[in-house]
Amino acid sequence: MSTPHNGRPSGRPSGRLTWAGFGLLSTLAGTAAGHLVASLDRIDSSPVLAVGSTVIDATPTPVKEWAIRNFGTADKPILIGSVMAGVLVLAAVAGLLARRRLALGLALEGLLVAVATAAALTNSGATAGDAVPGIATAVVGLGTLVLLARTASQQASGTADGEGAGTDGKGSGSSRRGVLVAAGVVALAATVMAGAGQLIRNLRARPEDVTLPTPDDPAGAFPDGLDGQVDGISPLRVPNEDFYRVDTRLDTPVVDLESWTLTIDGDVDREVTLTFDDLLEMEIIERDITLTCVSNSVGGEFVDGARWLGVRLTDVLDMAGVGSRADQILSTDFDGMTISTPLDLATDGRDAMIAIGMNGEALPRAHGFPARMVIPGLYGFVSATKWVTRLTLTTYDEASAYWTDRDWATDAPIKISTRIDTPNALDRLPAGEVVIGGVAWAQQRGGVDQVQVQVDGGPWRDAEMGPDVNNDYWRQWFFRWDAEPGSHAIAARAISGDGTTQTAVRAQPFPDGASGIQSLMVTVE
Ligand SMILES: Nc1nc2c(c(=O)[nH]1)N[C@H]1C(S)=C(S)[C@@H](COP(=O)(O)O)O[C@H]1N2
Ligand SMILES: [Mo]
């Protein structure tokens, strides 16, 4: 294997690829060990996730906007992927440095671990304990690099002594085998550790083990939507696995149900802490509500309707007794992430709730297990705190929340909007009857009364409306269009129950939600 071209001791194998591989493997093994250790306590201190969330938090809002526009919900996998790719390049460099001098490689790997540990320690809510996964990463990562380096040089010197070094850089089968076996063992160990970390997390809390109570105040019978009738239209009720997901997390949080509590504090008569069982004892309500993300662009995917089960937010607040100074509910999730909600809007009689169920199941982990806020009519970033653990009654003067600190609006009612689900932009369609269909929403604006469709800038014509679930729910609609050959522009707008017509004035999502009318081109043949 070895060639002493540049005066290195002949016992040291010179395969650059091999050494780059050592850097990669030792870094992966260290990272997997850190992830495993983090999974035992606080997954956020896992080296990869810690670096990833630090990058997310530090990303300026316009860049985030751009990423969401271009990658949608894939922004996170892309981010983790880029962080990982960058780290792996550096890991390979560390391996190459170690080939020259082991200490150099160790120094670079040590630096990587130090950065990840620093990221974990500066996470919101971090404690000194969050350094432990970093230490595990360092011990396993650096240790593995030393071991691999040693195996390689032993094999190489064994080769030099026994079978003769005269093989001119090719090395013998047995030396390569030794290095390969060592590398294989490390790769296997890394995989097992990463898998074990995931397994441990999954064992901790299982939404499927929760038995949901029957509602004291049930929602009405859910009507049949147009789902079966209009090809390509959004389902009236969106299944949990298809429901849009937007949050700052890189992982799917696993919150322990046994130790989970919800505390109401701040400007209250008495601080109250509720367990999950305490919630089950309260009056349980069931409501059909459509959530909408402020990042949704006109015609976008970040809006869906579901049936929620839970308790009234006002019932929870009343247990603590809200003081007279508060104008904000600052809600905090299990990890210290905060969302602020105007107190007057949350308590004005709308169906604001602490939800524990979604479409007949416990909340999925991705959607806030074991409990989240749901408030009709306000964008999710000021209302829909997932994995919620604390409601602090405070004022906007005293406290600000995650997105407020990033210049998003503080008070953000959902804007009336309509999405065309079918046809798709640039579709080629046969002439004759084409069914145009979609959904529209106007939560807390009296719901959707009417959707209108416009072809080629002509008159606005009424669409046929699907069932009206309630004013906080979206409504399906469709329009039979007699399509003639040529290229056509199709647009749709909604008129809400309070008599407002969806505005044509365009606004970007930042800072308080997109507006405008979706219009798309199709070709009829
Ligand atoms: N803890 C926490 N809750 C959160 C968020 C978050 O990042 N962290 N994102 C909010 C945003 S911006 C939206 S639009 C809704 C989305 O809820 P969903 O992912 O269940 O659709 O959750 C809200 N709740
Ligand atoms: Mo959102």
Side-chain angles (χ1 to χ4, degrees):
M1 230 189 202
S2 114
T3 24
H5 317 283
N6 26 11
R8 248 175 286 104
S10 65
R12 178 146 292 196
S14 71
R16 286 210 168 74
L17 227 54
T18 309
W19 281 85
F22 289 173
L24 287 176
L25 277 175
S26 55
T27 303
L28 282 176
T31 310
H35 195 73
L36 173 60
V37 170
S39 68
L40 297 171
D41 182 26
R42 240 174 65 94
I43 193 66
D44 302 82
S45 50
S46 155
V48 187
L49 297 182
V51 172
S53 1
T54 304
V55 173
I56 288 194
D57 289 353
T59 307
T61 298
V63 178
K64 247 185 251 184
E65 277 280 272
W66 176 88
I68 290 186
R69 245 195 331 277
N70 289 281
F71 306 129
T73 32
D75 60 335
K76 302 263 175 34
I78 287 174
L79 175 80
I80 297 203
S82 327
V83 169
M84 265 319 253
V87 169
L88 290 181
V89 168
L90 290 173
V93 171
L96 291 173
L97 286 175
R99 175 170 170 264
R100 308 205 68 194
R101 271 191 54 200
L102 184 55
L104 286 179
L106 292 176
L108 179 53
E109 275 197 8
L111 185 69
L112 288 177
V113 181
V115 168
T117 310
L121 286 174
T122 50
N123 258 341
S124 57
T127 61
D130 286 322
V132 174
I135 295 170
T137 306
V139 170
V140 174
L142 303 194
T144 306
L145 186 55
V146 171
L147 277 178
L148 286 171
R150 212 173 271 163
T151 312
S153 19
Q154 269 165 14
Q155 294 292 341
S157 49
T159 304
D161 296 345
E163 300 169 37
T167 43
D168 193 23
K170 291 292 187 301
S172 76
S174 86
S175 80
R176 232 174 298 139
R177 223 173 295 129
V179 171
L180 275 178
V181 167
V185 168
V186 171
L188 189 71
T191 313
V192 169
M193 280 188 288
Q198 218 49 44
L199 201 70
I200 288 170
R201 272 160 51 68
N202 288 342
L203 285 177
R204 202 170 312 155
R206 309 202 332 153
E208 50 275 38
D209 293 339
V210 172
T211 312
L212 289 179
T214 49
D216 302 297
D217 182 354
F222 196 80
D224 284 337
L226 303 176
D227 315 16
Q229 279 175 57
V230 178
D231 272 352
I233 202 168
S234 300
L236 187 55
R237 177 187 285 166
V238 178
N240 291 354
E241 53 279 12
D242 299 335
F243 203 94
Y244 86 89
R245 174 179 176 185
V246 171
D247 53 60
T248 59
R249 308 285 317 173
L250 290 170
D251 61 338
T252 299
V254 174
V255 176
D256 178 33
L257 184 63
E258 302 301 318
S259 57
W260 176 87
T261 54
L262 176 64
T263 299
I264 301 90
D265 63 5
D267 181 23
V268 291
D269 299 338
R270 61 207 95 75
E271 192 175 308
V272 170
T273 294
L274 302 168
T275 63
F276 194 75
D277 284 340
D278 291 336
L279 291 184
L280 299 182
E281 295 299 307
M282 296 174 63
E283 188 182 346
I284 301 289
I285 64 170
E286 184 184 53
R287 296 290 184 269
D288 296 307
I289 297 169
T290 294
L291 293 195
T292 313
C293 181
V294 71
S295 296
N296 197 41
S297 39
V298 174
E301 299 292 324
F302 299 148
V303 50
D304 278 317
R307 172 162 285 194
W308 308 93
L309 186 78
V311 300
R312 286 189 189 87
L313 177 63
T314 46
D315 286 353
V316 172
L317 296 179
D318 287 348
M319 293 172 88
V322 176
S324 55
R325 282 190 312 112
D327 61 12
Q328 177 195 180
I329 304 172
L330 185 73
S331 47
T332 307
D333 81 0
F334 77 108
D335 188 37
M337 194 271 183
T338 51
I339 283 182
S340 62
T341 309
L343 176 64
D344 55 343
L345 299 181
T347 56
D348 67 359
R350 70 184 74 200
D351 287 320
M353 57 200 289
I354 301 289
I356 56 169
M358 180 178 184
N359 292 332
E361 294 168 14
L363 284 180
R365 289 195 183 109
H367 298 289
F369 180 80
R372 74 175 302 169
M373 305 218 303
V374 171
I375 304 182
L378 298 177
Y379 285 118
F381 82 114
V382 286
S383 71
T385 318
K386 304 192 274 190
W387 317 288
V388 65
T389 58
R390 187 175 296 274
L391 306 177
T392 304
L393 279 299
T394 180
T395 66
Y396 282 100
D397 282 344
E398 272 165 33
S400 56
Y402 183 90
W403 276 294
T404 322
D405 293 339
R406 285 158 182 78
D407 298 329
W408 289 82
T410 47
D411 182 353
I414 298 172
K415 297 179 181 176
I416 300 169
S417 202
T418 311
R419 179 173 75 205
I420 301 171
D421 289 329
T422 181
N424 291 313
L426 308 182
D427 271 358
R428 299 186 154 267
L429 307 163
E433 187 185 274
V434 167
V435 177
I436 302 169
V439 283
W441 55 95
Q443 300 96 321
Q444 292 289 304
R445 303 293 304 264
V448 174
D449 234 23
Q450 187 62 55
V451 169
Q452 298 180 322
V453 173
Q454 184 193 52
V455 177
D456 299 330
W460 287 99
R461 287 179 288 171
D462 283 355
E464 293 176 60
M465 300 305 297
D468 187 1
V469 176
N470 69 51
N471 289 347
D472 292 328
Y473 210 73
W474 65 7
R475 200 160 168 192
Q476 298 166 317
W477 56 271
F478 71 99
F479 181 83
R480 292 177 210 281
W481 172 40
D482 186 16
E484 282 170 16
S487 122
H488 300 283
I490 301 169
R493 68 177 185 190
I495 299 167
S496 64
D498 70 4
T500 311
T501 300
Q502 180 181 335
T503 180
V505 176
R506 282 165 193 260
Q508 292 299 312
F510 184 79
D512 65 354
S515 70
I517 288 173
Q518 188 189 3
S519 172
L520 49 84
M521 298 296 301
V522 294
T523 304
V524 177
E525 301 180 317

